[in-house]
Amino acid sequence: MVEEVQEPEVAGAAAPFNMEEWPFYWLTRFTGRYLLQMELALKPLGLDIPRWRVLMTLRNREAMSVSEIADHAIVKLPTMTKIVKRMQADNLVDCRQSAADGRVTEVSLTPAGVVAGRKAWDAANRIYERAFEDLSRKDVSTLNKLLRTITRSLAG
């Protein structure tokens, strides 16, 4: 005998669950497709998603702490520390002790990191253009506003 599974209530309604009406379904599909396209675009540049995240976080910034980068890149601090060390070995970033707090490691892009970041940005921008070609600037702005609001709600 197969046990019948109760469908979760959606927004207080007793309607049956339809995954295509579930925003997290689309967010997950979008993220998966985006990351796949990014991996394919970054590989010929000798980069990967973790390095991309660091390069873009540091883009147009003089320096940031490893913990700030980890926060922006949504990566745990120990993992980000390893990523930064690999990037330092690849001459993409420089690390130095913070003058204000000796416990903090500040990270900045090397000239090679700036070049790699520009190439990665060009690749990412092509993906962005394709992903959002059918949306107006206003639509993209609205999407960003909605995603910011949802993200803040999930943060507690």
Side-chain angles (χ1 to χ4, degrees):
M1 181 170 152
V2 176
E3 188 175 328
E4 193 172 310
V5 177
Q6 292 285 336
E7 295 288 336
E9 287 190 15
V10 179
F17 177 73
N18 176 356
M19 74 178 174
E20 291 188 4
E21 296 302 321
W22 190 248
F24 294 113
Y25 169 78
W26 292 109
L27 289 169
T28 302
R29 285 188 60 87
F30 168 82
T31 300
R33 296 249 171 120
Y34 164 73
L35 291 175
L36 175 62
Q37 293 299 309
M38 284 299 294
E39 286 172 358
L40 294 171
L42 293 172
K43 189 173 183 175
L45 304 176
L47 298 171
D48 55 19
I49 298 293
R51 284 177 174 84
W52 151 254
R53 289 179 176 167
V54 173
L55 292 170
M56 289 308 99
T57 300
L58 289 172
R59 183 178 168 85
N60 301 323
R61 291 187 172 94
E62 192 169 316
M64 292 180 79
S65 72
V66 176
S67 59
E68 288 173 315
I69 297 169
D71 183 53
H72 285 285
I74 313 164
V75 173
K76 292 179 181 177
L77 183 57
T79 302
M80 183 52 68
T81 299
K82 291 175 188 173
I83 294 165
V84 166
K85 285 182 180 181
R86 286 195 314 259
M87 291 180 73
Q88 186 177 25
D90 292 341
N91 194 36
L92 296 173
V93 298
D94 278 328
C95 298
R96 67 179 176 277
Q97 193 175 30
S98 168
D101 185 344
R103 299 168 296 173
V104 174
T105 299
E106 292 181 339
V107 183
S108 59
L109 294 177
T110 64
V114 171
V115 170
R118 283 187 191 136
K119 289 178 182 177
W121 178 255
D122 289 343
N125 200 42
R126 286 189 296 274
I127 293 167
Y128 174 91
E129 293 295 329
R130 188 170 72 237
F132 295 100
E133 68 186 352
D134 294 330
L135 297 178
S136 69
R137 285 183 184 218
K138 183 178 179 192
D139 289 340
V140 174
S141 178
T142 299
L143 177 61
N144 282 333
K145 182 180 177 186
L146 291 168
L147 291 171
R148 257 192 308 277
T149 300
I150 294 165
T151 299
R152 288 181 183 136
S153 294
L154 286 174

PDB file of all heavy atoms in Angstrom, residues 39-68:
ATOM      1  N   GLU A  39      30.728  28.843 -16.075  1.00  0.00           N
ATOM      2  CA  GLU A  39      31.824  27.862 -16.062  1.00  0.00           C
ATOM      3  C   GLU A  39      32.399  27.683 -17.461  1.00  0.00           C
ATOM      4  O   GLU A  39      33.618  27.650 -17.639  1.00  0.00           O
ATOM      5  CB  GLU A  39      31.331  26.514 -15.524  1.00  0.00           C
ATOM      6  CG  GLU A  39      31.112  26.498 -14.034  1.00  0.00           C
ATOM      7  CD  GLU A  39      30.435  25.220 -13.536  1.00  0.00           C
ATOM      8  OE1 GLU A  39      30.088  24.341 -14.360  1.00  0.00           O
ATOM      9  OE2 GLU A  39      30.258  25.102 -12.314  1.00  0.00           O
ATOM     10  N   LEU A  40      31.509  27.539 -18.457  1.00  0.00           N
ATOM     11  CA  LEU A  40      31.953  27.356 -19.838  1.00  0.00           C
ATOM     12  C   LEU A  40      32.715  28.580 -20.358  1.00  0.00           C
ATOM     13  O   LEU A  40      33.686  28.446 -21.103  1.00  0.00           O
ATOM     14  CB  LEU A  40      30.755  27.060 -20.741  1.00  0.00           C
ATOM     15  CG  LEU A  40      30.046  25.730 -20.485  1.00  0.00           C
ATOM     16  CD1 LEU A  40      28.746  25.658 -21.294  1.00  0.00           C
ATOM     17  CD2 LEU A  40      30.953  24.552 -20.803  1.00  0.00           C
ATOM     18  N   ALA A  41      32.280  29.764 -19.966  1.00  0.00           N
ATOM     19  CA  ALA A  41      32.931  30.999 -20.419  1.00  0.00           C
ATOM     20  C   ALA A  41      34.257  31.254 -19.701  1.00  0.00           C
ATOM     21  O   ALA A  41      35.195  31.810 -20.289  1.00  0.00           O
ATOM     22  CB  ALA A  41      31.991  32.186 -20.216  1.00  0.00           C
ATOM     23  N   LEU A  42      34.355  30.853 -18.442  1.00  0.00           N
ATOM     24  CA  LEU A  42      35.559  31.135 -17.647  1.00  0.00           C
ATOM     25  C   LEU A  42      36.679  30.131 -17.886  1.00  0.00           C
ATOM     26  O   LEU A  42      37.862  30.485 -17.771  1.00  0.00           O
ATOM     27  CB  LEU A  42      35.204  31.156 -16.155  1.00  0.00           C
ATOM     28  CG  LEU A  42      34.295  32.294 -15.701  1.00  0.00           C
ATOM     29  CD1 LEU A  42      33.861  32.077 -14.261  1.00  0.00           C
ATOM     30  CD2 LEU A  42      34.980  33.650 -15.868  1.00  0.00           C
ATOM     31  N   LYS A  43      36.315  28.904 -18.212  1.00  0.00           N
ATOM     32  CA  LYS A  43      37.329  27.852 -18.360  1.00  0.00           C
ATOM     33  C   LYS A  43      38.429  28.224 -19.352  1.00  0.00           C
ATOM     34  O   LYS A  43      39.617  28.072 -19.033  1.00  0.00           O
ATOM     35  CB  LYS A  43      36.673  26.530 -18.744  1.00  0.00           C
ATOM     36  CG  LYS A  43      37.636  25.371 -18.706  1.00  0.00           C
ATOM     37  CD  LYS A  43      36.937  24.052 -18.919  1.00  0.00           C
ATOM     38  CE  LYS A  43      37.950  22.921 -18.787  1.00  0.00           C
ATOM     39  NZ  LYS A  43      37.320  21.618 -18.864  1.00  0.00           N
ATOM     40  N   PRO A  44      38.103  28.743 -20.552  1.00  0.00           N
ATOM     41  CA  PRO A  44      39.179  29.122 -21.481  1.00  0.00           C
ATOM     42  C   PRO A  44      40.077  30.241 -20.945  1.00  0.00           C
ATOM     43  O   PRO A  44      41.195  30.424 -21.423  1.00  0.00           O
ATOM     44  CB  PRO A  44      38.444  29.601 -22.738  1.00  0.00           C
ATOM     45  CG  PRO A  44      37.068  29.069 -22.625  1.00  0.00           C
ATOM     46  CD  PRO A  44      36.781  28.907 -21.163  1.00  0.00           C
ATOM     47  N   LEU A  45      39.598  30.971 -19.964  1.00  0.00           N
ATOM     48  CA  LEU A  45      40.382  32.058 -19.367  1.00  0.00           C
ATOM     49  C   LEU A  45      41.242  31.561 -18.207  1.00  0.00           C
ATOM     50  O   LEU A  45      41.944  32.349 -17.572  1.00  0.00           O
ATOM     51  CB  LEU A  45      39.450  33.166 -18.873  1.00  0.00           C
ATOM     52  CG  LEU A  45      38.501  33.779 -19.904  1.00  0.00           C
ATOM     53  CD1 LEU A  45      37.572  34.788 -19.240  1.00  0.00           C
ATOM     54  CD2 LEU A  45      39.292  34.414 -21.036  1.00  0.00           C
ATOM     55  N   GLY A  46      41.134  30.277 -17.894  1.00  0.00           N
ATOM     56  CA  GLY A  46      41.879  29.716 -16.768  1.00  0.00           C
ATOM     57  C   GLY A  46      41.270  30.076 -15.421  1.00  0.00           C
ATOM     58  O   GLY A  46      41.955  30.067 -14.402  1.00  0.00           O
ATOM     59  N   LEU A  47      39.971  30.386 -15.427  1.00  0.00           N
ATOM     60  CA  LEU A  47      39.284  30.796 -14.204  1.00  0.00           C
ATOM     61  C   LEU A  47      38.148  29.835 -13.900  1.00  0.00           C
ATOM     62  O   LEU A  47      37.757  29.025 -14.742  1.00  0.00           O
ATOM     63  CB  LEU A  47      38.730  32.218 -14.355  1.00  0.00           C
ATOM     64  CG  LEU A  47      39.768  33.320 -14.584  1.00  0.00           C
ATOM     65  CD1 LEU A  47      39.088  34.630 -14.939  1.00  0.00           C
ATOM     66  CD2 LEU A  47      40.651  33.485 -13.357  1.00  0.00           C
ATOM     67  N   ASP A  48      37.618  29.963 -12.696  1.00  0.00           N
ATOM     68  CA  ASP A  48      36.454  29.194 -12.283  1.00  0.00           C
ATOM     69  C   ASP A  48      35.525  30.119 -11.504  1.00  0.00           C
ATOM     70  O   ASP A  48      35.836  31.295 -11.300  1.00  0.00           O
ATOM     71  CB  ASP A  48      36.862  27.964 -11.460  1.00  0.00           C
ATOM     72  CG  ASP A  48      37.721  28.315 -10.246  1.00  0.00           C
ATOM     73  OD1 ASP A  48      37.732  29.489  -9.808  1.00  0.00           O
ATOM     74  OD2 ASP A  48      38.395  27.418  -9.720  1.00  0.00           O
ATOM     75  N   ILE A  49      34.392  29.594 -11.087  1.00  0.00           N
ATOM     76  CA  ILE A  49      33.393  30.413 -10.381  1.00  0.00           C
ATOM     77  C   ILE A  49      33.955  31.029  -9.096  1.00  0.00           C
ATOM     78  O   ILE A  49      33.774  32.237  -8.861  1.00  0.00           O
ATOM     79  CB  ILE A  49      32.105  29.603 -10.102  1.00  0.00           C
ATOM     80  CG1 ILE A  49      31.444  29.147 -11.407  1.00  0.00           C
ATOM     81  CG2 ILE A  49      31.129  30.386  -9.234  1.00  0.00           C
ATOM     82  CD1 ILE A  49      30.878  30.247 -12.279  1.00  0.00           C
ATOM     83  N   PRO A  50      34.641  30.270  -8.235  1.00  0.00           N
ATOM     84  CA  PRO A  50      35.180  30.916  -7.026  1.00  0.00           C
ATOM     85  C   PRO A  50      36.127  32.077  -7.337  1.00  0.00           C
ATOM     86  O   PRO A  50      36.041  33.138  -6.709  1.00  0.00           O
ATOM     87  CB  PRO A  50      35.911  29.772  -6.312  1.00  0.00           C
ATOM     88  CG  PRO A  50      35.208  28.536  -6.772  1.00  0.00           C
ATOM     89  CD  PRO A  50      34.852  28.823  -8.207  1.00  0.00           C
ATOM     90  N   ARG A  51      37.025  31.900  -8.303  1.00  0.00           N
ATOM     91  CA  ARG A  51      37.936  32.991  -8.661  1.00  0.00           C
ATOM     92  C   ARG A  51      37.156  34.171  -9.250  1.00  0.00           C
ATOM     93  O   ARG A  51      37.460  35.333  -8.973  1.00  0.00           O
ATOM     94  CB  ARG A  51      38.987  32.494  -9.650  1.00  0.00           C
ATOM     95  CG  ARG A  51      40.079  31.660  -9.004  1.00  0.00           C
ATOM     96  CD  ARG A  51      41.046  31.133 -10.065  1.00  0.00           C
ATOM     97  NE  ARG A  51      42.183  30.457  -9.488  1.00  0.00           N
ATOM     98  CZ  ARG A  51      42.196  29.173  -9.114  1.00  0.00           C
ATOM     99  NH1 ARG A  51      41.115  28.426  -9.252  1.00  0.00           N
ATOM    100  NH2 ARG A  51      43.284  28.639  -8.603  1.00  0.00           N
ATOM    101  N   TRP A  52      36.150  33.871 -10.060  1.00  0.00           N
ATOM    102  CA  TRP A  52      35.283  34.911 -10.639  1.00  0.00           C
ATOM    103  C   TRP A  52      34.662  35.747  -9.535  1.00  0.00           C
ATOM    104  O   TRP A  52      34.645  36.975  -9.592  1.00  0.00           O
ATOM    105  CB  TRP A  52      34.221  34.258 -11.523  1.00  0.00           C
ATOM    106  CG  TRP A  52      32.926  35.003 -11.632  1.00  0.00           C
ATOM    107  CD1 TRP A  52      31.739  34.674 -11.045  1.00  0.00           C
ATOM    108  CD2 TRP A  52      32.663  36.193 -12.390  1.00  0.00           C
ATOM    109  NE1 TRP A  52      30.761  35.585 -11.386  1.00  0.00           N
ATOM    110  CE2 TRP A  52      31.312  36.528 -12.210  1.00  0.00           C
ATOM    111  CE3 TRP A  52      33.448  36.999 -13.193  1.00  0.00           C
ATOM    112  CZ2 TRP A  52      30.726  37.631 -12.812  1.00  0.00           C
ATOM    113  CZ3 TRP A  52      32.861  38.108 -13.788  1.00  0.00           C
ATOM    114  CH2 TRP A  52      31.514  38.409 -13.591  1.00  0.00           C
ATOM    115  N   ARG A  53      34.152  35.083  -8.518  1.00  0.00           N
ATOM    116  CA  ARG A  53      33.493  35.807  -7.428  1.00  0.00           C
ATOM    117  C   ARG A  53      34.457  36.743  -6.720  1.00  0.00           C
ATOM    118  O   ARG A  53      34.099  37.871  -6.368  1.00  0.00           O
ATOM    119  CB  ARG A  53      32.860  34.822  -6.451  1.00  0.00           C
ATOM    120  CG  ARG A  53      31.646  34.140  -7.033  1.00  0.00           C
ATOM    121  CD  ARG A  53      31.049  33.156  -6.080  1.00  0.00           C
ATOM    122  NE  ARG A  53      29.818  32.588  -6.655  1.00  0.00           N
ATOM    123  CZ  ARG A  53      29.215  31.531  -6.180  1.00  0.00           C
ATOM    124  NH1 ARG A  53      29.683  30.901  -5.118  1.00  0.00           N
ATOM    125  NH2 ARG A  53      28.112  31.089  -6.750  1.00  0.00           N
ATOM    126  N   VAL A  54      35.677  36.292  -6.503  1.00  0.00           N
ATOM    127  CA  VAL A  54      36.673  37.153  -5.859  1.00  0.00           C
ATOM    128  C   VAL A  54      37.018  38.322  -6.778  1.00  0.00           C
ATOM    129  O   VAL A  54      37.046  39.485  -6.336  1.00  0.00           O
ATOM    130  CB  VAL A  54      37.942  36.361  -5.482  1.00  0.00           C
ATOM    131  CG1 VAL A  54      39.035  37.286  -4.978  1.00  0.00           C
ATOM    132  CG2 VAL A  54      37.616  35.297  -4.431  1.00  0.00           C
ATOM    133  N   LEU A  55      37.285  38.041  -8.041  1.00  0.00           N
ATOM    134  CA  LEU A  55      37.635  39.102  -8.984  1.00  0.00           C
ATOM    135  C   LEU A  55      36.538  40.161  -9.070  1.00  0.00           C
ATOM    136  O   LEU A  55      36.824  41.362  -9.085  1.00  0.00           O
ATOM    137  CB  LEU A  55      37.907  38.515 -10.375  1.00  0.00           C
ATOM    138  CG  LEU A  55      39.159  37.650 -10.506  1.00  0.00           C
ATOM    139  CD1 LEU A  55      39.175  36.939 -11.858  1.00  0.00           C
ATOM    140  CD2 LEU A  55      40.426  38.462 -10.291  1.00  0.00           C
ATOM    141  N   MET A  56      35.283  39.732  -9.111  1.00  0.00           N
ATOM    142  CA  MET A  56      34.188  40.686  -9.238  1.00  0.00           C
ATOM    143  C   MET A  56      33.928  41.425  -7.927  1.00  0.00           C
ATOM    144  O   MET A  56      33.541  42.587  -7.944  1.00  0.00           O
ATOM    145  CB  MET A  56      32.913  39.994  -9.713  1.00  0.00           C
ATOM    146  CG  MET A  56      32.975  39.543 -11.168  1.00  0.00           C
ATOM    147  SD  MET A  56      33.480  40.844 -12.348  1.00  0.00           S
ATOM    148  CE  MET A  56      35.220  40.479 -12.585  1.00  0.00           C
ATOM    149  N   THR A  57      34.159  40.764  -6.816  1.00  0.00           N
ATOM    150  CA  THR A  57      33.978  41.439  -5.527  1.00  0.00           C
ATOM    151  C   THR A  57      35.019  42.544  -5.365  1.00  0.00           C
ATOM    152  O   THR A  57      34.721  43.622  -4.843  1.00  0.00           O
ATOM    153  CB  THR A  57      34.064  40.424  -4.369  1.00  0.00           C
ATOM    154  OG1 THR A  57      33.033  39.447  -4.541  1.00  0.00           O
ATOM    155  CG2 THR A  57      33.880  41.097  -3.022  1.00  0.00           C
ATOM    156  N   LEU A  58      36.220  42.285  -5.839  1.00  0.00           N
ATOM    157  CA  LEU A  58      37.291  43.279  -5.710  1.00  0.00           C
ATOM    158  C   LEU A  58      37.297  44.310  -6.844  1.00  0.00           C
ATOM    159  O   LEU A  58      38.018  45.306  -6.762  1.00  0.00           O
ATOM    160  CB  LEU A  58      38.653  42.574  -5.667  1.00  0.00           C
ATOM    161  CG  LEU A  58      38.946  41.800  -4.392  1.00  0.00           C
ATOM    162  CD1 LEU A  58      40.213  40.978  -4.534  1.00  0.00           C
ATOM    163  CD2 LEU A  58      39.030  42.735  -3.190  1.00  0.00           C
ATOM    164  N   ARG A  59      36.488  44.076  -7.858  1.00  0.00           N
ATOM    165  CA  ARG A  59      36.436  44.999  -9.001  1.00  0.00           C
ATOM    166  C   ARG A  59      36.090  46.399  -8.499  1.00  0.00           C
ATOM    167  O   ARG A  59      35.154  46.592  -7.742  1.00  0.00           O
ATOM    168  CB  ARG A  59      35.377  44.508  -9.987  1.00  0.00           C
ATOM    169  CG  ARG A  59      35.274  45.315 -11.244  1.00  0.00           C
ATOM    170  CD  ARG A  59      34.216  44.672 -12.165  1.00  0.00           C
ATOM    171  NE  ARG A  59      33.869  45.519 -13.260  1.00  0.00           N
ATOM    172  CZ  ARG A  59      34.547  45.581 -14.400  1.00  0.00           C
ATOM    173  NH1 ARG A  59      35.604  44.829 -14.578  1.00  0.00           N
ATOM    174  NH2 ARG A  59      34.157  46.389 -15.368  1.00  0.00           N
ATOM    175  N   ASN A  60      36.865  47.372  -8.907  1.00  0.00           N
ATOM    176  CA  ASN A  60      36.656  48.780  -8.540  1.00  0.00           C
ATOM    177  C   ASN A  60      36.799  49.042  -7.040  1.00  0.00           C
ATOM    178  O   ASN A  60      36.266  50.027  -6.541  1.00  0.00           O
ATOM    179  CB  ASN A  60      35.293  49.288  -9.038  1.00  0.00           C
ATOM    180  CG  ASN A  60      35.154  49.162 -10.534  1.00  0.00           C
ATOM    181  OD1 ASN A  60      36.109  49.370 -11.272  1.00  0.00           O
ATOM    182  ND2 ASN A  60      33.966  48.805 -10.985  1.00  0.00           N
ATOM    183  N   ARG A  61      37.509  48.166  -6.363  1.00  0.00           N
ATOM    184  CA  ARG A  61      37.789  48.385  -4.936  1.00  0.00           C
ATOM    185  C   ARG A  61      39.299  48.257  -4.726  1.00  0.00           C
ATOM    186  O   ARG A  61      39.929  47.398  -5.331  1.00  0.00           O
ATOM    187  CB  ARG A  61      37.058  47.360  -4.079  1.00  0.00           C
ATOM    188  CG  ARG A  61      35.558  47.557  -4.094  1.00  0.00           C
ATOM    189  CD  ARG A  61      34.910  46.608  -3.088  1.00  0.00           C
ATOM    190  NE  ARG A  61      33.511  46.884  -2.932  1.00  0.00           N
ATOM    191  CZ  ARG A  61      32.537  46.279  -3.608  1.00  0.00           C
ATOM    192  NH1 ARG A  61      32.826  45.366  -4.503  1.00  0.00           N
ATOM    193  NH2 ARG A  61      31.281  46.579  -3.381  1.00  0.00           N
ATOM    194  N   GLU A  62      39.819  49.058  -3.832  1.00  0.00           N
ATOM    195  CA  GLU A  62      41.257  48.996  -3.579  1.00  0.00           C
ATOM    196  C   GLU A  62      41.619  47.717  -2.841  1.00  0.00           C
ATOM    197  O   GLU A  62      42.572  47.030  -3.211  1.00  0.00           O
ATOM    198  CB  GLU A  62      41.699  50.224  -2.789  1.00  0.00           C
ATOM    199  CG  GLU A  62      43.198  50.364  -2.742  1.00  0.00           C
ATOM    200  CD  GLU A  62      43.613  51.709  -2.185  1.00  0.00           C
ATOM    201  OE1 GLU A  62      43.025  52.726  -2.569  1.00  0.00           O
ATOM    202  OE2 GLU A  62      44.535  51.707  -1.350  1.00  0.00           O
ATOM    203  N   ALA A  63      40.861  47.393  -1.792  1.00  0.00           N
ATOM    204  CA  ALA A  63      41.122  46.184  -1.008  1.00  0.00           C
ATOM    205  C   ALA A  63      39.894  45.854  -0.176  1.00  0.00           C
ATOM    206  O   ALA A  63      39.079  46.729   0.127  1.00  0.00           O
ATOM    207  CB  ALA A  63      42.331  46.388  -0.097  1.00  0.00           C
ATOM    208  N   MET A  64      39.795  44.584   0.181  1.00  0.00           N
ATOM    209  CA  MET A  64      38.726  44.122   1.076  1.00  0.00           C
ATOM    210  C   MET A  64      39.295  43.009   1.936  1.00  0.00           C
ATOM    211  O   MET A  64      40.240  42.317   1.533  1.00  0.00           O
ATOM    212  CB  MET A  64      37.530  43.571   0.288  1.00  0.00           C
ATOM    213  CG  MET A  64      36.761  44.613  -0.487  1.00  0.00           C
ATOM    214  SD  MET A  64      35.364  43.884  -1.384  1.00  0.00           S
ATOM    215  CE  MET A  64      34.192  43.710  -0.054  1.00  0.00           C
ATOM    216  N   SER A  65      38.688  42.804   3.088  1.00  0.00           N
ATOM    217  CA  SER A  65      39.126  41.702   3.939  1.00  0.00           C
ATOM    218  C   SER A  65      38.608  40.384   3.372  1.00  0.00           C
ATOM    219  O   SER A  65      37.624  40.356   2.625  1.00  0.00           O
ATOM    220  CB  SER A  65      38.611  41.892   5.369  1.00  0.00           C
ATOM    221  OG  SER A  65      37.217  41.660   5.418  1.00  0.00           O
ATOM    222  N   VAL A  66      39.257  39.299   3.741  1.00  0.00           N
ATOM    223  CA  VAL A  66      38.828  37.983   3.292  1.00  0.00           C
ATOM    224  C   VAL A  66      37.390  37.726   3.750  1.00  0.00           C
ATOM    225  O   VAL A  66      36.575  37.202   2.993  1.00  0.00           O
ATOM    226  CB  VAL A  66      39.774  36.876   3.810  1.00  0.00           C
ATOM    227  CG1 VAL A  66      39.260  35.494   3.427  1.00  0.00           C
ATOM    228  CG2 VAL A  66      41.187  37.080   3.269  1.00  0.00           C
ATOM    229  N   SER A  67      37.049  38.135   4.961  1.00  0.00           N
ATOM    230  CA  SER A  67      35.687  37.901   5.457  1.00  0.00           C
ATOM    231  C   SER A  67      34.657  38.719   4.688  1.00  0.00           C
ATOM    232  O   SER A  67      33.550  38.236   4.434  1.00  0.00           O
ATOM    233  CB  SER A  67      35.580  38.162   6.962  1.00  0.00           C
ATOM    234  OG  SER A  67      35.952  39.479   7.268  1.00  0.00           O
ATOM    235  N   GLU A  68      34.995  39.939   4.276  1.00  0.00           N
ATOM    236  CA  GLU A  68      34.074  40.731   3.447  1.00  0.00           C
ATOM    237  C   GLU A  68      33.861  40.067   2.092  1.00  0.00           C
ATOM    238  O   GLU A  68      32.737  40.001   1.598  1.00  0.00           O
ATOM    239  CB  GLU A  68      34.625  42.144   3.233  1.00  0.00           C
ATOM    240  CG  GLU A  68      34.573  43.030   4.447  1.00  0.00           C
ATOM    241  CD  GLU A  68      35.279  44.355   4.214  1.00  0.00           C
ATOM    242  OE1 GLU A  68      36.400  44.374   3.663  1.00  0.00           O
ATOM    243  OE2 GLU A  68      34.687  45.395   4.586  1.00  0.00           O
TER     244      GLU A  68
END
